[in-house]
């Protein structure tokens, strides 16, 4: 509830909602006051519906285009109590299943008791023709949810969106407001993800003591979760944690230290000593790292091993079958896959990882062993399927991920219901974060084989942890690193330059008749226009117009002249300019236009899609599609994601970004026929060798660098990698 402390106050009924920004709840609406004057009000107010009574505090302003308005920064609102207001409220389709006709029937029968009947006696609604018991229950559930969400949003005014309030209400239930009043800091938990400072503002309004135990515990946990999500750390040194917590909580370091020690003693947090330094982590992270180490050891110890002669015969047979002769390291990988319960196969582009996967598939199936192929992302799984000719699933799909009504991710496949296959091969394993790896291992039954395939020199996972690199670094788990570049790959400058970059050598930029080109632009401001010209004119003129659809711009940063935000603005106007026949929709500062390439930037397990007549759900962070149509009357747009068609309501547009240009991190696990990479000065932490290497290895047929001549050399020379604090390596040591 907004605190009413301004000099002017107006009261009235909302007559018309003119505009609502779904991402921040900025709303323009008209209210009628006691004298029936119609007043335009503007401000932040969640879930404002026609028929509601509001009290607003603020002041009158004058807008040069829209005239006199009442700008408020505090409010109170209540449900209407009179018949006309109740009818208006229900007719505005606020409650699912109730439109103007049904609203009139309900209000005619129950009058001023309507809301009480809907909430407490929904079965009475079934007396009205056209309302079944099932529909009555659905109407009541929707109304109670709206009421509960309203209470949450009034308590948390300015802190969360309607979508966040819905998740909180569904998780906490009808007592949500009381629970939040008792401890607003639960909003910082991972399942809600509200920033600490916002939860802290609610707590201050509720007069929660500055040094309360709940506040300090939440603050310390928030430092850990923030570092996990932003920096990838699964744990922190205790001294760094104390310093960060004391700054966040505005308490002295001694108080933070005392509370941390108490939390560790009470088991609220976990710790591990590594090289005389105490590392602190959440109990959930500790459990995941412990489980991964233990399960890897168990799989290593319990898998059946084959004899040398038997393996040799199997390898010779598959050589004849595939018509090739394996290189020594490829042969070693095949032998190791039959001797080890867990193995890692790593190597750069052109070193024959796909050939080894095909051979493994043939060998395991000749032995009657069922094999599951998987990858962390949909695009990586699709690439694996295309390369092997066999079905590959995302790890989430293989684990039969379920998404419950409060938004929690659950996996049907686990220790009680494991994966049926006895060999699990996971590609792009560098993208596996800690929690997904733990979920995967929980679903692998005893005696199975796990083969992790990936390029350990690429960027680590977006999520917390550095799993593949930690496993390799232990030297306890069999790892085969392919290093030989095969003849056909040596002819590709993409491959040879990628290996040069990885080895600390500058790429060859002088060749102009291969698949790796450099377009020099010494002024940063010239880079966007040069890229736009390449996409719209130069490349189509040489390779045909269809090449435009297979080009992906990949850039290190979001900001700057060569960053995602600026490039998407420039490229949208060049590739898909405004036209009378193209509909548009603006959301969170971005103009979405029919024909635009867009990316889903958050996992959403509820979005429905259709593929060849079949219906499924779920679109995930990194999925790229094209806007097919925008329907203002339906408040929705249709988007084509490869072979799936999904409908997005406008309230989901905060989960979309333009995708003419994407960051290197967002490109992980994907491959594009043509990649253009801007070469410009950006923060040093983004001008690194492994980021450059990752960007180049996303290309299948062509790489074009555009920009300053010294940038490739500087990126190659910068071999610094952002360190991630983890305890997995030490925990693996403890078992092996």
């Amino acid at each position: 509830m907004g605190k009413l402390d301004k000099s002017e106050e107006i009261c009235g009924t909302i007559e018309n909602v003119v505009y609502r920004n779904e991402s921040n709840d900025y709303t323009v609406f008209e209210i009628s006051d006691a004298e029936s004057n119609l007043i335009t009000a503007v401000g932040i107010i969640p879930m404002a519906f026609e028929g509601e009574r509001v009290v607003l505090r603020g002041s009158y302003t004058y807008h040069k285009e829209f005239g006199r308005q009442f700008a408020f920064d505090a409010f109170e609102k209540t449900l209407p109590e009179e018949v006309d207001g109740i009818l208006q409220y229900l007719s505005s389709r606020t409650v699912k299943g109730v439109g103007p006709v049904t609203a009139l029937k309900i209000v005619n029968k129950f009058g001023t008791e309507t809301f009480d009947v809907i909430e407490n006696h929904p079965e009475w609604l079934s007396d009205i023709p056209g309302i079944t018991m099932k529909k009555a229950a659905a109407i009541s559930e929707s109304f109670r949810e709206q009421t509960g969400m309203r209470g949450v949003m009034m308590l948390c005014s300015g802190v969360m969106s309607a979508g966040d309030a819905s998740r909180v209400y569904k998780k906490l239930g009808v007592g949500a407001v009381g629970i939040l009043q008792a401890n607003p800091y639960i909003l910082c938990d991972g399942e809600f993800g509200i920033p600490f400072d916002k939860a802290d503002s609610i707590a201050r309004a509720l007069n929660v003591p500055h040094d309360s135990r709940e506040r300090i515990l939440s603050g310390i946990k928030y430092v850990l979760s923030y570092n996990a999500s932003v920096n990838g750390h699964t744990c922190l040194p205790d001294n760094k944690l104390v310093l960060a917590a004391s700054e966040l909580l505005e308490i002295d370091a001694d108080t933070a230290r005392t509370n941390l020690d108490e939390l560790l003693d009470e088991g609220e947090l976990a710790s591990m000593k590594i090289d005389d330094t105490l590392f602190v982590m959440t109990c959930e992270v500790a459990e995941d790292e412990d489980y991964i180490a233990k399960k890897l050891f168990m799989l290593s110890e319990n898998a059946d091993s084959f004899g040398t002669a038997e393996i040799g015969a199997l390898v010779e047979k598959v050589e004849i079958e595939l018509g090739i002769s394996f290189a020594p390291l490829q042969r070693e990988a095949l032998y190791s896959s039959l001797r080890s319960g867990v193995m890692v196969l790593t190597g750069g582009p052109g070193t024959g990882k796909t050939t080894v996967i095909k051979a493994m598939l043939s060998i395991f199936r000749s032995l009657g062993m069922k094999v599951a192929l998987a990858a962390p992302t949909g695009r990586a799984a699709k690439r694996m399927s295309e390369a092997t000719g066999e079905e590959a699933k995302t790890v989430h799909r293989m684990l039969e991920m379920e998404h419950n009504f409060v938004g929690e991710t659950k996996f049907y496949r686990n220790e009680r219901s494991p994966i049926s296959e006895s060999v699990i091969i996971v590609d792009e394993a560098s993208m596996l974060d800690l929690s997904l790896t733990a979920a995967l291992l929980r679903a692998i039954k005893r005696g199975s084989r796990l083969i992790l395939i990936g390029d350990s020199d690429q960027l680590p996972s977006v999520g917390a942890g550095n799993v593949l690199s930690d496993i390799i670094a232990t030297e306890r788990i069999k790892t085969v690193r392919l290093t030989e570049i095969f003849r056909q790959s040596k002819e590709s400058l993409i491959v040879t330059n990628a290996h040069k970059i990885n080895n600390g050598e500058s790429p060859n930029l002088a060749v102009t008749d291969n698949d790796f080109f450099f377009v020099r632009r010494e002024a940063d401001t010239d880079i966007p226009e040069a890229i736009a010209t390449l996409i719209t004119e130069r490349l189509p003129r040489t390779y045909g117009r269809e090449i435009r659809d297979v080009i992906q711009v990949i850039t290190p940063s979001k900001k700057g002249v060569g960053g995602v935000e600026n490039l998407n603005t420039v490229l949208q106007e060049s590739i898909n300019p405004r036209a009378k026949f193209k509909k548009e929709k603006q959301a969170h500062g971005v103009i979405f236009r029919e024909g635009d390439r867009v990316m889903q930037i958050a996992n959403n397990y509820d979005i429905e899609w259709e593929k060849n007549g079949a219906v499924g759900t779920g679109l995930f962070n990194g999925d790229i599609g094209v806007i097919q149509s925008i329907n203002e009357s339906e408040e929705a747009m249709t988007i084509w994601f490869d072979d799936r068609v999904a409908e997005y309501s406008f309230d989901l547009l905060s989960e979309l970004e333009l995708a003419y240009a994407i960051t290197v991190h967002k490109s992980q696990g994907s491959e594009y026929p043509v990649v253009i990479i801007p070469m410009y000065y950006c923060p040093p932490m983004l001008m690194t060798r492994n980021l450059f290497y990752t960007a180049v290895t996303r290309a299948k047929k062509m790489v074009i660098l555009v920009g300053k001549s010294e940038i490739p050399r500087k990126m190659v020379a910068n071999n610094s990698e952002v360190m991630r604090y983890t305890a997995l390596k030490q925990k693996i040591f403890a078992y092996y």
Side-chain angles (χ1 to χ4, degrees), residues 10 479-480 646:
I10 61 173
T479 299
V480 178

Side-chain angles (χ1 to χ4, degrees), residues 14-29:
I14 298 178
E15 299 292 345
N16 179 35
V17 177
V18 179
Y19 168 80
R20 177 188 293 117
N21 185 317
E22 300 291 349
S23 62
N24 62 11
D25 293 313
Y26 177 82
T27 309
V28 180
F29 57 93

Side-chain angles (χ1 to χ4, degrees), residues 72-306:
F72 65 90
D73 58 7
F75 64 88
E76 291 179 359
K77 60 177 183 169
T78 59
L79 288 173
E81 297 177 353
E82 298 177 356
V83 169
D84 288 346
I86 294 171
L87 177 60
Q88 185 182 21
Y89 178 82
L90 290 179
S91 297
S92 66
R93 300 186 185 277
T94 302
V95 179
K96 292 180 182 178
V98 180
V101 174
T102 304
L104 182 59
K105 291 179 181 179
I106 295 173
V107 174
N108 279 343
K109 185 170 182 65
F110 299 109
T112 57
E113 303 300 317
T114 292
F115 290 148
D116 179 62
V117 170
I118 293 175
E119 183 169 9
N120 300 309
H121 308 286
E123 67 277 7
W124 296 358
L125 296 175
S126 63
D127 293 338
I128 298 173
I131 300 181
T132 63
M133 285 293 289
K134 183 178 180 180
K135 184 175 181 179
I139 291 171
S140 180
E141 181 180 355
S142 175
F143 178 77
R144 283 186 277 109
E145 181 177 333
Q146 291 285 350
T147 304
M149 286 171 56
R150 181 181 293 104
V152 171
M153 295 200 74
M154 293 304 99
L155 179 69
C156 307
S157 175
V159 171
M160 64 175 64
S161 66
D164 290 331
S166 177
R167 287 190 300 113
V168 171
Y169 174 75
K170 286 178 179 178
K171 176 67 177 178
L172 300 181
V174 294
V177 171
I179 294 170
L180 292 176
Q181 287 174 332
N183 181 14
Y185 294 105
I186 63 172
L187 292 171
C188 298
D189 290 350
E191 56 194 320
F192 300 133
I194 302 298
F196 180 84
D197 61 338
K198 291 189 175 182
D200 213 24
S201 68
I202 299 171
R204 284 196 298 272
L206 294 170
N207 296 317
V208 175
H210 188 73
D211 59 351
S212 74
R213 180 62 180 279
E214 291 81 9
R215 182 174 186 270
I216 293 176
L217 170 60
S218 178
I220 292 173
K221 284 187 173 181
Y222 184 75
V223 171
L224 290 170
S225 65
Y226 177 85
N227 276 275
S229 61
V230 175
N231 300 318
H233 302 311
T234 65
C235 55
L236 288 176
D238 62 339
N239 60 331
K240 291 182 180 292
L241 177 57
V242 165
L243 179 61
S246 64
E247 291 179 354
L248 174 72
L249 296 165
E250 297 179 336
I251 58 176
D252 61 77
D254 289 341
T255 301
R257 167 66 69 180
T258 299
N259 278 272
L260 175 60
D261 291 342
E262 291 176 357
L263 293 170
L264 288 169
D265 289 341
E266 295 166 7
E268 293 280 357
L269 296 171
S271 65
M272 183 177 187
K273 198 138 193 180
I274 304 173
D275 298 331
D276 297 324
T277 299
L278 186 70
F279 283 81
V280 180
M281 63 207 73
T282 65
C283 295
E284 293 79 11
V285 163
E287 182 181 343
D288 281 347
E289 288 186 328
D290 287 340
Y291 187 88
I292 291 170
K294 177 182 177 181
K295 189 63 171 282
L296 289 174
F297 177 75
M298 187 188 79
L299 292 174
S300 298
E301 292 293 303
N302 288 285
D304 293 332
S305 182
F306 296 84

Side-chain angles (χ1 to χ4, degrees), residues 358-375:
K358 289 181 178 179
M360 287 178 179
L361 282 169
S362 179
I363 290 172
F364 286 127
R365 283 178 177 154
S366 72
L367 293 168
M369 302 169 73
K370 294 172 65 179
V371 182
L373 300 180

